[in-house]
């Protein structure tokens, strides 16, 4: 069974601080996606990384796919209250094509 | 375009009751999925469909059924509700299985008492 472990599970920081969320597995994924979910809504896709070592930037968010395609990280620079939400990573299984979701990281950014 | 819509938004069921969660999409996507989300557990796949008339089980299918008679609709049926089915249910679609980038509905919060 493929698993994705996210850390930390909860993060509460002040506006302006930097943070990193990790997504780790012992399995290789063909690609990895990051979603953000706000209370009462469904997840929204932020980015897909496909190549080992790939780095993608989305304004203040930087996403990296590990060289071996087993792990990923999300770094937020100068966090803002609007970044508050649940961040989910999801790996695409090479065998089945289905997405395997991590358990999520709840981020709270205080003004 | 509405994207993916789900009804109802909230529902309370008694143990043993049945209900259907509705999911409709106007994105013309062939692939559709049902997930449940429990606190601290991420999203678990219940059932999925690769096109009209074709459905298959996901990771946690017990207690649920689905049908896919049209591209647009993918209802999820709970026959005998149990407290373990208390959860938030999300329907999602994707355009293809290669990238499998998914578009989610707003969810249905179900409580079974």
């Amino acid at each position: 069974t493929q698993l994705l472990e996210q850390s930390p599970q909860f993060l509460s920081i002040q506006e302006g601080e930097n943070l990193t969320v990790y997504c780790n597995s012992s399995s290789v994924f063909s690609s990895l996606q990051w979603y953000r979910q706000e209370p009462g809504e469904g997840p929204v896709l932020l980015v897909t990384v496909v190549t080992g070592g790939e780095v993608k930037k989305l304004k203040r968010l930087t996403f990296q796919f590990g060289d071996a395609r087993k792990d990923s990280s999300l770094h937020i620079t100068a966090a803002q209250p609007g970044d508050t939400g649940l961040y989910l990573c999801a790996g695409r299984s090479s065998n089945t094509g289905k997405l395997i979701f991590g358990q999520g990281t709840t981020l709270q950014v205080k003004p | 375009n509405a994207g993916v819509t789900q009804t109802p938004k909230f529902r309370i069921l008694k143990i043993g009751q049945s209900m259907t969660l509705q999911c409709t999409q106007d994105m013309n996507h062939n692939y559709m999925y049902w997930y449940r989300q429990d606190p601290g557990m991420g999203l678990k796949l219940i059932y999925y469909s690769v096109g009209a008339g074709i459905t298959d089980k996901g990771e946690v299918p017990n207690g649920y059924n689905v049908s896919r008679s049209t591209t647009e609709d993918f209802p999820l049926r709970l026959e005998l509700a149990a407290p373990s089915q208390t959860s938030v249910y999300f329907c999602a679609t994707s355009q293809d299985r290669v990238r499998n980038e998914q578009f989610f509905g707003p969810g249905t919060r179900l409580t079974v008492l």
Side-chain angles (χ1 to χ4, degrees), chain A residues 1 9 30-31 33 35 37 40-45 48 50 56 86 88 92 96-99 101-104, chain B residues 9 35 37 40-45 48 57-59 90 97-107 109:
Chain A
T1 302
Q9 280 194 284
S30 60
S31 64
Q33 300 168 11
Y35 291 82
Q37 183 180 14
E41 299 181 8
V44 175
L45 179 68
T48 300
V50 178
K56 279 192 174 178
L86 176 68
L88 294 159
R92 182 187 177 279
T96 67
K98 297 173 193 169
L99 293 186
F101 282 85
Q103 73 271 46
Chain B
K9 185 73 172 174
Y35 294 92
Q37 184 176 40
M41 299 293 290
L43 291 159
K44 301 294 184 185
L45 182 64
Y48 67 99
K57 295 178 181 178
E59 187 181 355
F90 288 99
R97 291 293 294 277
V98 175
R99 290 181 71 86
N100 201 4
E101 294 171 337
Q102 300 192 1
F103 298 85
F104 287 82
R109 182 175 292 276

